[in-house]
Amino acid sequence: MPAKSTQGRLKEILSVIRQYKLVTNFYHQTNPQAVREALEQLGPTFIKAGQLLSTRPDLVSPAYIKELQQLQDNVPPEPFLVAKKTVEAAIQQPIEEVFSSFDQHPFASASIGQTYHAQLTDGTKVVVKVQHHNVPEWVRTDLSLFDKALRILKIVPTGKSAINIDCAYQELRKSLLNEIDTKLEASNGAEFYRLNNGDGIIRVPKVYPQYSGQGVLVNQAMNGKSIKHYLAQPLAEDEQQRQAQQKERHYLAKELVRNFIKQVFDDHYFHADPHPGNILFYRLPVNDQPTLKTTHQWSKEVMGTSIATQTQTVLPPLRLVYLDFGMMGRLTPNLADGIAQIVLALNSKDEQAIGAAILAVCNRVGPVDEPRFYRQLGELISPYFNEELGDIDFADLLFHIIHLCEDNNLQVKSEVTLLVKAFGMLENTVAKLDPELSMMEVARPFAKKYFWQKFNFRNLVDEQLLALVKGVQSTSQFSTRINRFLQILSNGQVQINFRYQNERKVLKYLEKIVDRLMVVIILAAVILGSSILVKGSDDHSSINHIGMIGYLVAILVIIILLVSTLIERWRHRK
């Protein structure tokens, strides 16, 4: 990216925003093509921002997701000498002392950086991701300038916006800054490697933090190609071969789902960007030794002697590799419990249970009318109950649920939206592998198992016994309470409180009417008083002026009231 002055770059951003009506279109989620073209013209930072937004169905509409997925990185690779300087600055030693070989031409280049094949001095093959020169500086500069441009150009249209633009910008800013933090990515990769490498057929590249630094990330080189190449292979015409292919694809799909559910419910730490480009597939050579996987373990100590058994199965010669750990999600145990409840509620197709589960994973940012929320949620999700899970557009459903929650003063926790985004992204890959397999079908038994693991039978029995004792005590006092109620009723001391739907809105409207009425009464008094002053002050000009000022104030207030009433009615019509 060519160097530009801050003032020149700001003028460029403002010019593009005006030309494509970027803020207005994005605010209303209209004309996604114009927004995509604007981002492409603004350069790498904004291209990357658009790509990140295309993975956030909680922030932008499905139409925007589809359009922003077309954004392409047209960034030529930097000269090798520039990349070499970045690597040596990160490892603080000459490149030849760490790498026995280092390709001078990157095999991949994108908006943030480029990637090289290399080999450590001990012979280990690695992949080195090198950020473009001064990436952190110009990303932060562009974000700062875009923030200023928003403040200058953001107009507040009448009516309701399709999204919360400030929330979208803050989420985008956070994602972009995490994306360029290679130290964070190295830490994420090391943790994900510890938790998932060797889990069945799942493999994760090892991170070499001693050779990594800000702007440089060194990972173990992995075999395989993007799984999208595997998905593009057509099924064989021969029936027997086709069945073998379908069986293999079914196995791969189940392994992806099984491992993802493990990430969520066991590790509480999941890959938040599992698109096909971040998942590799390869086959082991025929002459490789078969790998065993432990499926069941049992151990018990009897009379001081430990007895243990385990069952092992042979893994097929297939491997799936996760890449790119810049975007990860982490859940608290309580949040994982809430998500398990949502999965179980979706399985039961119980609107009340689904609503209660959603409320449990939301923050309340204002008063919540729960009956209204349940009613609106039922209207939204009931049509989906008649569809197969594999046919549901989860991105579109999530987008509408997010906005339903916002309309009811509920804020879905960011960890949940990140998880559902990742869930939908992985389900897209799973659907291509095996269209008949639904992630929900595989997730359901895991959620049930997780629920039973958390279920404490002894605590439940204790709680039920306590409830039974309280119930018996209440029953023994039933006749006394009936007599007391009848006595209060006969004395005329009964007070019944009624609540009705939209109570707050009605009370607010009545309050506004009372305020207007008070203003009218005061205006009438001012006009009457001014009239008396004007009429009786023929010989006193100062008193006459006070009366005229009263008239002017009254007229001005009347005009303001009329204008505000007309504006309010016009907005209601909109």
Side-chain angles (χ1 to χ4, degrees), residues 101-130:
S101 66
F102 200 112
D103 289 357
Q104 295 197 11
H105 300 286
F107 66 87
S109 180
S111 57
I112 298 297
Q114 49 205 32
T115 313
Y116 297 84
H117 286 300
Q119 187 170 312
L120 298 176
T121 53
D122 63 1
T124 303
K125 293 182 179 179
V126 294
V127 169
V128 185
K129 184 188 292 186
V130 184

PDB file of all heavy atoms in Angstrom, residues 101-130:
ATOM      1  N   SER A 101      16.678 -23.303   4.699  1.00  0.00           N
ATOM      2  CA  SER A 101      16.177 -22.860   3.391  1.00  0.00           C
ATOM      3  C   SER A 101      14.944 -22.006   3.599  1.00  0.00           C
ATOM      4  O   SER A 101      14.181 -22.218   4.565  1.00  0.00           O
ATOM      5  CB  SER A 101      15.853 -24.052   2.490  1.00  0.00           C
ATOM      6  OG  SER A 101      14.768 -24.795   3.010  1.00  0.00           O
ATOM      7  N   PHE A 102      14.725 -21.046   2.695  1.00  0.00           N
ATOM      8  CA  PHE A 102      13.596 -20.122   2.806  1.00  0.00           C
ATOM      9  C   PHE A 102      13.243 -19.683   1.390  1.00  0.00           C
ATOM     10  O   PHE A 102      14.031 -18.998   0.726  1.00  0.00           O
ATOM     11  CB  PHE A 102      13.980 -18.914   3.662  1.00  0.00           C
ATOM     12  CG  PHE A 102      12.810 -18.160   4.235  1.00  0.00           C
ATOM     13  CD1 PHE A 102      12.556 -18.160   5.591  1.00  0.00           C
ATOM     14  CD2 PHE A 102      11.948 -17.434   3.418  1.00  0.00           C
ATOM     15  CE1 PHE A 102      11.483 -17.461   6.133  1.00  0.00           C
ATOM     16  CE2 PHE A 102      10.884 -16.736   3.931  1.00  0.00           C
ATOM     17  CZ  PHE A 102      10.632 -16.746   5.304  1.00  0.00           C
ATOM     18  N   ASP A 103      12.068 -20.133   0.888  1.00  0.00           N
ATOM     19  CA  ASP A 103      11.662 -19.763  -0.475  1.00  0.00           C
ATOM     20  C   ASP A 103      11.579 -18.248  -0.613  1.00  0.00           C
ATOM     21  O   ASP A 103      11.063 -17.559   0.272  1.00  0.00           O
ATOM     22  CB  ASP A 103      10.303 -20.368  -0.812  1.00  0.00           C
ATOM     23  CG  ASP A 103      10.365 -21.875  -1.009  1.00  0.00           C
ATOM     24  OD1 ASP A 103      11.483 -22.424  -0.938  1.00  0.00           O
ATOM     25  OD2 ASP A 103       9.298 -22.489  -1.215  1.00  0.00           O
ATOM     26  N   GLN A 104      12.065 -17.754  -1.738  1.00  0.00           N
ATOM     27  CA  GLN A 104      12.041 -16.304  -1.951  1.00  0.00           C
ATOM     28  C   GLN A 104      10.727 -15.831  -2.565  1.00  0.00           C
ATOM     29  O   GLN A 104      10.487 -14.626  -2.642  1.00  0.00           O
ATOM     30  CB  GLN A 104      13.214 -15.892  -2.848  1.00  0.00           C
ATOM     31  CG  GLN A 104      14.568 -16.139  -2.203  1.00  0.00           C
ATOM     32  CD  GLN A 104      15.683 -15.369  -2.892  1.00  0.00           C
ATOM     33  OE1 GLN A 104      15.437 -14.495  -3.719  1.00  0.00           O
ATOM     34  NE2 GLN A 104      16.922 -15.691  -2.538  1.00  0.00           N
ATOM     35  N   HIS A 105       9.900 -16.765  -2.991  1.00  0.00           N
ATOM     36  CA  HIS A 105       8.603 -16.408  -3.585  1.00  0.00           C
ATOM     37  C   HIS A 105       7.490 -16.998  -2.731  1.00  0.00           C
ATOM     38  O   HIS A 105       7.460 -18.215  -2.493  1.00  0.00           O
ATOM     39  CB  HIS A 105       8.499 -16.920  -5.022  1.00  0.00           C
ATOM     40  CG  HIS A 105       9.547 -16.361  -5.932  1.00  0.00           C
ATOM     41  ND1 HIS A 105       9.521 -15.072  -6.407  1.00  0.00           N
ATOM     42  CD2 HIS A 105      10.691 -16.923  -6.413  1.00  0.00           C
ATOM     43  CE1 HIS A 105      10.583 -14.860  -7.169  1.00  0.00           C
ATOM     44  NE2 HIS A 105      11.309 -15.967  -7.194  1.00  0.00           N
ATOM     45  N   PRO A 106       6.560 -16.180  -2.226  1.00  0.00           N
ATOM     46  CA  PRO A 106       5.471 -16.706  -1.395  1.00  0.00           C
ATOM     47  C   PRO A 106       4.521 -17.564  -2.216  1.00  0.00           C
ATOM     48  O   PRO A 106       4.298 -17.312  -3.400  1.00  0.00           O
ATOM     49  CB  PRO A 106       4.784 -15.434  -0.894  1.00  0.00           C
ATOM     50  CG  PRO A 106       5.070 -14.397  -1.925  1.00  0.00           C
ATOM     51  CD  PRO A 106       6.438 -14.714  -2.457  1.00  0.00           C
ATOM     52  N   PHE A 107       3.951 -18.581  -1.588  1.00  0.00           N
ATOM     53  CA  PHE A 107       2.961 -19.413  -2.286  1.00  0.00           C
ATOM     54  C   PHE A 107       1.546 -18.870  -2.089  1.00  0.00           C
ATOM     55  O   PHE A 107       0.599 -19.344  -2.712  1.00  0.00           O
ATOM     56  CB  PHE A 107       3.042 -20.873  -1.826  1.00  0.00           C
ATOM     57  CG  PHE A 107       2.660 -21.121  -0.398  1.00  0.00           C
ATOM     58  CD1 PHE A 107       1.333 -21.353  -0.048  1.00  0.00           C
ATOM     59  CD2 PHE A 107       3.626 -21.152   0.614  1.00  0.00           C
ATOM     60  CE1 PHE A 107       0.983 -21.585   1.269  1.00  0.00           C
ATOM     61  CE2 PHE A 107       3.270 -21.392   1.924  1.00  0.00           C
ATOM     62  CZ  PHE A 107       1.951 -21.610   2.260  1.00  0.00           C
ATOM     63  N   ALA A 108       1.394 -17.856  -1.212  1.00  0.00           N
ATOM     64  CA  ALA A 108       0.093 -17.215  -1.021  1.00  0.00           C
ATOM     65  C   ALA A 108       0.317 -15.782  -0.570  1.00  0.00           C
ATOM     66  O   ALA A 108       1.252 -15.495   0.179  1.00  0.00           O
ATOM     67  CB  ALA A 108      -0.738 -17.971   0.009  1.00  0.00           C
ATOM     68  N   SER A 109      -0.545 -14.868  -1.044  1.00  0.00           N
ATOM     69  CA  SER A 109      -0.452 -13.463  -0.662  1.00  0.00           C
ATOM     70  C   SER A 109      -1.852 -12.897  -0.514  1.00  0.00           C
ATOM     71  O   SER A 109      -2.722 -13.160  -1.342  1.00  0.00           O
ATOM     72  CB  SER A 109       0.334 -12.662  -1.704  1.00  0.00           C
ATOM     73  OG  SER A 109       0.425 -11.299  -1.328  1.00  0.00           O
ATOM     74  N   ALA A 110      -2.073 -12.153   0.571  1.00  0.00           N
ATOM     75  CA  ALA A 110      -3.389 -11.567   0.829  1.00  0.00           C
ATOM     76  C   ALA A 110      -3.215 -10.145   1.331  1.00  0.00           C
ATOM     77  O   ALA A 110      -2.104  -9.583   1.285  1.00  0.00           O
ATOM     78  CB  ALA A 110      -4.149 -12.418   1.840  1.00  0.00           C
ATOM     79  N   SER A 111      -4.314  -9.547   1.817  1.00  0.00           N
ATOM     80  CA  SER A 111      -4.272  -8.138   2.199  1.00  0.00           C
ATOM     81  C   SER A 111      -3.390  -7.890   3.411  1.00  0.00           C
ATOM     82  O   SER A 111      -2.753  -6.848   3.520  1.00  0.00           O
ATOM     83  CB  SER A 111      -5.687  -7.637   2.475  1.00  0.00           C
ATOM     84  OG  SER A 111      -6.289  -8.438   3.474  1.00  0.00           O
ATOM     85  N   ILE A 112      -3.335  -8.857   4.340  1.00  0.00           N
ATOM     86  CA  ILE A 112      -2.573  -8.658   5.564  1.00  0.00           C
ATOM     87  C   ILE A 112      -1.127  -9.101   5.423  1.00  0.00           C
ATOM     88  O   ILE A 112      -0.209  -8.474   5.960  1.00  0.00           O
ATOM     89  CB  ILE A 112      -3.242  -9.392   6.738  1.00  0.00           C
ATOM     90  CG1 ILE A 112      -4.654  -8.822   6.975  1.00  0.00           C
ATOM     91  CG2 ILE A 112      -2.415  -9.290   8.009  1.00  0.00           C
ATOM     92  CD1 ILE A 112      -4.663  -7.361   7.387  1.00  0.00           C
ATOM     93  N   GLY A 113      -0.896 -10.188   4.707  1.00  0.00           N
ATOM     94  CA  GLY A 113       0.476 -10.697   4.599  1.00  0.00           C
ATOM     95  C   GLY A 113       0.624 -11.736   3.519  1.00  0.00           C
ATOM     96  O   GLY A 113      -0.274 -11.946   2.693  1.00  0.00           O
ATOM     97  N   GLN A 114       1.765 -12.408   3.520  1.00  0.00           N
ATOM     98  CA  GLN A 114       2.072 -13.437   2.537  1.00  0.00           C
ATOM     99  C   GLN A 114       2.750 -14.601   3.247  1.00  0.00           C
ATOM    100  O   GLN A 114       3.298 -14.443   4.343  1.00  0.00           O
ATOM    101  CB  GLN A 114       2.967 -12.877   1.428  1.00  0.00           C
ATOM    102  CG  GLN A 114       4.167 -12.105   1.927  1.00  0.00           C
ATOM    103  CD  GLN A 114       4.676 -11.099   0.912  1.00  0.00           C
ATOM    104  OE1 GLN A 114       3.920 -10.533   0.136  1.00  0.00           O
ATOM    105  NE2 GLN A 114       5.984 -10.887   0.912  1.00  0.00           N
ATOM    106  N   THR A 115       2.695 -15.784   2.623  1.00  0.00           N
ATOM    107  CA  THR A 115       3.135 -17.007   3.285  1.00  0.00           C
ATOM    108  C   THR A 115       4.195 -17.720   2.446  1.00  0.00           C
ATOM    109  O   THR A 115       4.049 -17.847   1.230  1.00  0.00           O
ATOM    110  CB  THR A 115       1.935 -17.941   3.532  1.00  0.00           C
ATOM    111  OG1 THR A 115       0.860 -17.188   4.098  1.00  0.00           O
ATOM    112  CG2 THR A 115       2.307 -19.067   4.467  1.00  0.00           C
ATOM    113  N   TYR A 116       5.256 -18.202   3.140  1.00  0.00           N
ATOM    114  CA  TYR A 116       6.401 -18.829   2.483  1.00  0.00           C
ATOM    115  C   TYR A 116       6.607 -20.256   3.012  1.00  0.00           C
ATOM    116  O   TYR A 116       6.328 -20.551   4.169  1.00  0.00           O
ATOM    117  CB  TYR A 116       7.690 -18.040   2.762  1.00  0.00           C
ATOM    118  CG  TYR A 116       7.703 -16.626   2.235  1.00  0.00           C
ATOM    119  CD1 TYR A 116       7.133 -15.585   2.978  1.00  0.00           C
ATOM    120  CD2 TYR A 116       8.306 -16.311   1.028  1.00  0.00           C
ATOM    121  CE1 TYR A 116       7.166 -14.284   2.519  1.00  0.00           C
ATOM    122  CE2 TYR A 116       8.341 -15.004   0.554  1.00  0.00           C
ATOM    123  CZ  TYR A 116       7.775 -13.994   1.303  1.00  0.00           C
ATOM    124  OH  TYR A 116       7.803 -12.700   0.844  1.00  0.00           O
ATOM    125  N   HIS A 117       7.150 -21.117   2.148  1.00  0.00           N
ATOM    126  CA  HIS A 117       7.658 -22.412   2.587  1.00  0.00           C
ATOM    127  C   HIS A 117       9.099 -22.218   3.051  1.00  0.00           C
ATOM    128  O   HIS A 117       9.872 -21.474   2.443  1.00  0.00           O
ATOM    129  CB  HIS A 117       7.634 -23.425   1.440  1.00  0.00           C
ATOM    130  CG  HIS A 117       6.257 -23.921   1.111  1.00  0.00           C
ATOM    131  ND1 HIS A 117       5.471 -24.577   2.018  1.00  0.00           N
ATOM    132  CD2 HIS A 117       5.539 -23.863  -0.053  1.00  0.00           C
ATOM    133  CE1 HIS A 117       4.318 -24.905   1.451  1.00  0.00           C
ATOM    134  NE2 HIS A 117       4.335 -24.472   0.194  1.00  0.00           N
ATOM    135  N   ALA A 118       9.462 -22.896   4.143  1.00  0.00           N
ATOM    136  CA  ALA A 118      10.831 -22.799   4.660  1.00  0.00           C
ATOM    137  C   ALA A 118      11.172 -24.092   5.395  1.00  0.00           C
ATOM    138  O   ALA A 118      10.326 -24.990   5.551  1.00  0.00           O
ATOM    139  CB  ALA A 118      10.970 -21.597   5.587  1.00  0.00           C
ATOM    140  N   GLN A 119      12.423 -24.183   5.831  1.00  0.00           N
ATOM    141  CA  GLN A 119      12.889 -25.361   6.566  1.00  0.00           C
ATOM    142  C   GLN A 119      13.833 -24.908   7.662  1.00  0.00           C
ATOM    143  O   GLN A 119      14.744 -24.110   7.434  1.00  0.00           O
ATOM    144  CB  GLN A 119      13.596 -26.331   5.609  1.00  0.00           C
ATOM    145  CG  GLN A 119      13.970 -27.655   6.255  1.00  0.00           C
ATOM    146  CD  GLN A 119      14.443 -28.674   5.209  1.00  0.00           C
ATOM    147  OE1 GLN A 119      13.796 -28.861   4.186  1.00  0.00           O
ATOM    148  NE2 GLN A 119      15.577 -29.297   5.467  1.00  0.00           N
ATOM    149  N   LEU A 120      13.569 -25.411   8.897  1.00  0.00           N
ATOM    150  CA  LEU A 120      14.428 -25.065  10.024  1.00  0.00           C
ATOM    151  C   LEU A 120      15.773 -25.773   9.883  1.00  0.00           C
ATOM    152  O   LEU A 120      15.929 -26.716   9.104  1.00  0.00           O
ATOM    153  CB  LEU A 120      13.761 -25.463  11.344  1.00  0.00           C
ATOM    154  CG  LEU A 120      12.428 -24.770  11.674  1.00  0.00           C
ATOM    155  CD1 LEU A 120      11.846 -25.350  12.960  1.00  0.00           C
ATOM    156  CD2 LEU A 120      12.597 -23.261  11.796  1.00  0.00           C
ATOM    157  N   THR A 121      16.747 -25.336  10.671  1.00  0.00           N
ATOM    158  CA  THR A 121      18.088 -25.924  10.587  1.00  0.00           C
ATOM    159  C   THR A 121      18.110 -27.393  10.983  1.00  0.00           C
ATOM    160  O   THR A 121      19.030 -28.129  10.603  1.00  0.00           O
ATOM    161  CB  THR A 121      19.066 -25.133  11.482  1.00  0.00           C
ATOM    162  OG1 THR A 121      18.515 -25.034  12.810  1.00  0.00           O
ATOM    163  CG2 THR A 121      19.296 -23.738  10.925  1.00  0.00           C
ATOM    164  N   ASP A 122      17.096 -27.862  11.759  1.00  0.00           N
ATOM    165  CA  ASP A 122      17.046 -29.289  12.121  1.00  0.00           C
ATOM    166  C   ASP A 122      16.306 -30.124  11.085  1.00  0.00           C
ATOM    167  O   ASP A 122      16.066 -31.316  11.291  1.00  0.00           O
ATOM    168  CB  ASP A 122      16.400 -29.468  13.497  1.00  0.00           C
ATOM    169  CG  ASP A 122      14.942 -29.007  13.524  1.00  0.00           C
ATOM    170  OD1 ASP A 122      14.424 -28.561  12.474  1.00  0.00           O
ATOM    171  OD2 ASP A 122      14.309 -29.088  14.599  1.00  0.00           O
ATOM    172  N   GLY A 123      15.900 -29.493   9.971  1.00  0.00           N
ATOM    173  CA  GLY A 123      15.240 -30.219   8.889  1.00  0.00           C
ATOM    174  C   GLY A 123      13.731 -30.167   8.922  1.00  0.00           C
ATOM    175  O   GLY A 123      13.072 -30.676   8.000  1.00  0.00           O
ATOM    176  N   THR A 124      13.130 -29.568   9.959  1.00  0.00           N
ATOM    177  CA  THR A 124      11.671 -29.491  10.054  1.00  0.00           C
ATOM    178  C   THR A 124      11.116 -28.530   9.002  1.00  0.00           C
ATOM    179  O   THR A 124      11.567 -27.381   8.890  1.00  0.00           O
ATOM    180  CB  THR A 124      11.244 -28.998  11.456  1.00  0.00           C
ATOM    181  OG1 THR A 124      11.789 -29.865  12.445  1.00  0.00           O
ATOM    182  CG2 THR A 124       9.728 -28.975  11.573  1.00  0.00           C
ATOM    183  N   LYS A 125      10.141 -29.005   8.244  1.00  0.00           N
ATOM    184  CA  LYS A 125       9.503 -28.156   7.241  1.00  0.00           C
ATOM    185  C   LYS A 125       8.451 -27.283   7.914  1.00  0.00           C
ATOM    186  O   LYS A 125       7.627 -27.787   8.698  1.00  0.00           O
ATOM    187  CB  LYS A 125       8.866 -29.012   6.146  1.00  0.00           C
ATOM    188  CG  LYS A 125       9.884 -29.767   5.290  1.00  0.00           C
ATOM    189  CD  LYS A 125       9.200 -30.556   4.193  1.00  0.00           C
ATOM    190  CE  LYS A 125      10.233 -31.278   3.323  1.00  0.00           C
ATOM    191  NZ  LYS A 125       9.594 -32.074   2.253  1.00  0.00           N
ATOM    192  N   VAL A 126       8.485 -26.002   7.616  1.00  0.00           N
ATOM    193  CA  VAL A 126       7.571 -25.058   8.248  1.00  0.00           C
ATOM    194  C   VAL A 126       6.949 -24.135   7.215  1.00  0.00           C
ATOM    195  O   VAL A 126       7.388 -24.075   6.054  1.00  0.00           O
ATOM    196  CB  VAL A 126       8.286 -24.207   9.331  1.00  0.00           C
ATOM    197  CG1 VAL A 126       8.740 -25.073  10.483  1.00  0.00           C
ATOM    198  CG2 VAL A 126       9.450 -23.437   8.728  1.00  0.00           C
ATOM    199  N   VAL A 127       5.922 -23.445   7.664  1.00  0.00           N
ATOM    200  CA  VAL A 127       5.270 -22.397   6.874  1.00  0.00           C
ATOM    201  C   VAL A 127       5.422 -21.099   7.645  1.00  0.00           C
ATOM    202  O   VAL A 127       5.120 -21.044   8.846  1.00  0.00           O
ATOM    203  CB  VAL A 127       3.783 -22.728   6.646  1.00  0.00           C
ATOM    204  CG1 VAL A 127       3.056 -21.531   6.070  1.00  0.00           C
ATOM    205  CG2 VAL A 127       3.633 -23.925   5.720  1.00  0.00           C
ATOM    206  N   VAL A 128       5.892 -20.058   6.973  1.00  0.00           N
ATOM    207  CA  VAL A 128       6.154 -18.774   7.630  1.00  0.00           C
ATOM    208  C   VAL A 128       5.190 -17.719   7.074  1.00  0.00           C
ATOM    209  O   VAL A 128       5.210 -17.416   5.878  1.00  0.00           O
ATOM    210  CB  VAL A 128       7.607 -18.314   7.427  1.00  0.00           C
ATOM    211  CG1 VAL A 128       7.873 -17.033   8.217  1.00  0.00           C
ATOM    212  CG2 VAL A 128       8.585 -19.403   7.841  1.00  0.00           C
ATOM    213  N   LYS A 129       4.351 -17.190   7.980  1.00  0.00           N
ATOM    214  CA  LYS A 129       3.412 -16.128   7.599  1.00  0.00           C
ATOM    215  C   LYS A 129       4.049 -14.790   7.968  1.00  0.00           C
ATOM    216  O   LYS A 129       4.390 -14.558   9.132  1.00  0.00           O
ATOM    217  CB  LYS A 129       2.079 -16.309   8.323  1.00  0.00           C
ATOM    218  CG  LYS A 129       1.011 -15.297   7.901  1.00  0.00           C
ATOM    219  CD  LYS A 129      -0.228 -15.402   8.782  1.00  0.00           C
ATOM    220  CE  LYS A 129      -0.963 -16.690   8.560  1.00  0.00           C
ATOM    221  NZ  LYS A 129      -2.253 -16.717   9.316  1.00  0.00           N
ATOM    222  N   VAL A 130       4.215 -13.915   6.976  1.00  0.00           N
ATOM    223  CA  VAL A 130       4.887 -12.631   7.181  1.00  0.00           C
ATOM    224  C   VAL A 130       3.924 -11.503   6.822  1.00  0.00           C
ATOM    225  O   VAL A 130       3.383 -11.462   5.715  1.00  0.00           O
ATOM    226  CB  VAL A 130       6.156 -12.516   6.319  1.00  0.00           C
ATOM    227  CG1 VAL A 130       6.893 -11.219   6.633  1.00  0.00           C
ATOM    228  CG2 VAL A 130       7.071 -13.718   6.528  1.00  0.00           C
TER     229      VAL A 130
END
